[in-house]
Amino acid sequence: MTKKMMWTCLCAALSLALASTDAAALVQDLNVVQFPERKDVNLSFQRQEGAPAARIDAVVEYRDGQAQINLEYSKMKPAILFGRDVTCYVLWAVTLDEQVENLGELVTPYDSYEMEFSTGKKAFALMITAEPYYLVGRPSELVMFTSKASENKRAPNTLLTFSAFAPAPAHAMRSIETIAWDSTTPLVLLQARKAHEMAESRQAKRFAPMIFQEAGEALQQANDMAERSPKSRTVLDLARRSVALSNSAMNIASSRIEAAEIEKRVAKRREEVAALEQRAAQAETDARQARTLADEIRTELDRLRADQKRLTLETATLTQQKSEMESRMARLREEMAALEMAQRDLQKEKVELAARLQGALSHVAETKSTARGFVVSLPDILFDVNEATLKPDARIILAKLSGILLIMPDLGVTIEGHTDSTGSAEYNQRLSERRAESVLKFLESQQVATDRLASVGFGFTQPIAENDTPDGRRKNRRVEIVIQEDRG
């Protein structure tokens, strides 16, 4: 930063410290638009407090199950001006049921810019927030812009009061409206430095060491190149790569930390269930003893009938014992009912854990739940043509997957290779086996236990689309990773 920019930031920070603290933005009114089929709908954006004085307009067209969003904006100052943990802007789609979708980062390389985004949602509002990194799962309370109501009669609006925000990232500035950006250092390089610093603070070095190291190497190369040629395209490319790797490392670290917490809760729950089972076993023993005692009482009553004088005394004693036993049986029934409730809670927790597992896998690659288990699909583009060599993008995806597998050791994995019908059956069978084996070996290199892994090739015997078209053949060329919840 220049001295002028540093002085402006210092004054703004002092003003923020002296002013009374405003309440956090806990709710936000949004305009959810129902987009018509194959019709352009123009949307403008409302600037929120603290946002830069930018102009943002969008054109949305819903066609064939996808909404294409063309966003044009100007004078959008970089989010890094907020300071502290803020590095970027993220565009969100928000539905009436408060479901959110991260559509991607809103980059600010020039005074004016244009970007395209897409979503499978048909009715949604658009919102832009300032975030610590662009792969966040929920929008922060640092809201910058929201889409206004549509003026198109074919695109009706519904007002939504949205409240499902994540806490705002730490930031030094309350507003960047009057702060000037005059740094000579490329913005994306500053973002890369900050993203790598945040990744280290969020334990990425521990939980995603390989990706974190790659991010650091790319950042170092970008810094070295910036010293020699700050306007070089290589600086931008290396910085963007470092940002992407730092974001991935943070995501993996967050997922692994969260999964470790889940594992702790599951272990604690298992201990509680074991204790309940032990109590149930003791209750069953007590019940058997109670039945034995009741038999003894009946025998004693038969014997005492011969002695009328002792009958009254013995009957009173046995009546008291019977009352005590009934109380014990009532307590046992209550404990059995508590055990049944605990078992139902455990089953519910297992279902929720499976849902969270699918959510974690969906951040890695396209995932679907089937009768065989969760199926993670790797497309043909992640391999060299007619080869079984994994490309770097495939290694990143598999590294993320291995992180999930390492913290969930009970999951079994079957890797299935598939090809299209081009070429001979023998060639395609061998190619599918090699690709499946390549994925298996990579997972082994990531410390996933060999006895959890299996691979098989199916050649072109199990197509999911027609082989008559290039698109169909592309879909058939794939590797599917089947993850079984119960390893057996």
Side-chain angles (χ1 to χ4, degrees), residues 190-300:
L190 294 177
Q191 288 178 317
R193 292 170 181 172
K194 188 61 181 179
H196 194 258
E197 176 185 331
M198 290 176 61
E200 184 172 12
S201 69
R202 297 185 182 202
Q203 303 188 64
K205 188 174 183 180
R206 174 185 174 188
F207 290 102
M210 293 179 60
I211 299 177
F212 178 79
Q213 181 179 352
E214 289 183 36
E217 292 171 353
L219 176 59
Q220 184 59 51
Q221 293 172 5
N223 286 328
D224 294 343
M225 180 60 70
E227 292 181 0
R228 300 193 300 271
S229 178
K231 296 184 179 180
S232 169
R233 176 69 184 183
T234 304
V235 174
L236 299 180
D237 292 341
L238 288 169
R240 287 194 182 99
R241 173 173 170 76
S242 179
V243 169
L245 290 168
S246 293
N247 272 263
S248 296
M250 280 188 277
N251 250 21
I252 292 173
S254 176
S255 297
R256 292 183 177 178
I257 291 171
E258 182 179 2
E261 289 299 321
I262 292 173
E263 186 64 26
K264 288 181 182 178
R265 291 199 295 271
V266 170
K268 182 179 179 181
R269 196 61 174 169
R270 286 173 178 166
E271 291 176 359
E272 293 173 352
V273 171
L276 288 172
E277 290 175 344
Q278 184 176 0
R279 290 173 62 186
Q282 183 61 45
E284 181 62 27
T285 300
D286 290 345
R288 286 196 299 270
Q289 291 176 351
R291 290 191 293 270
T292 300
L293 182 57
D295 291 340
E296 293 174 355
I297 290 172
R298 285 190 293 271
T299 302
E300 185 68 14

Side-chain angles (χ1 to χ4, degrees), residues 9-74:
C9 293
L10 180 60
C11 291
L14 181 60
S15 174
L16 177 63
L18 295 176
S20 59
T21 303
D22 294 337
L26 299 177
V27 295
Q28 178 71 52
D29 288 338
L30 300 175
N31 294 288
V32 177
V33 179
Q34 181 78 23
F35 293 98
E37 186 78 23
R38 299 176 181 270
K39 297 292 182 181
D40 286 351
V41 176
N42 296 314
L43 295 177
S44 57
F45 282 73
Q46 175 69 43
R47 186 175 70 89
Q48 303 299 317
E49 182 179 0
R55 177 183 176 84
I56 304 178
D57 295 289
V59 178
V60 181
E61 181 190 18
Y62 187 84
R63 177 191 294 266
D64 300 329
Q66 284 287 315
Q68 300 297 324
I69 305 165
N70 183 275
L71 205 68
E72 294 184 1
Y73 48 96
S74 59

Side-chain angles (χ1 to χ4, degrees), residues 80-92:
I80 203 169
L81 286 173
F82 278 104
R84 301 284 294 277
D85 289 348
V86 178
T87 68
C88 64
Y89 299 112
V90 171
L91 178 65
W92 301 89

Side-chain angles (χ1 to χ4, degrees), residues 141-195:
E141 293 178 337
L142 205 55
V143 180
M144 299 286 98
F145 297 88
T146 57
S147 58
K148 296 180 180 179
S150 166
E151 297 179 359
N152 190 323
K153 294 181 179 179
R154 296 184 178 181
N157 303 275
T158 304
L159 187 63
L160 165 67
T161 300
F162 181 76
S163 60
F165 288 102
H171 54 287
M173 299 295 106
R174 175 184 298 173
S175 172
I176 61 172
E177 179 179 359
T178 60
I179 300 177
W181 173 258
D182 55 2
S183 173
T184 58
T185 303
L187 171 62
V188 70
L189 183 55
L190 294 177
Q191 288 178 317
R193 292 170 181 172
K194 188 61 181 179

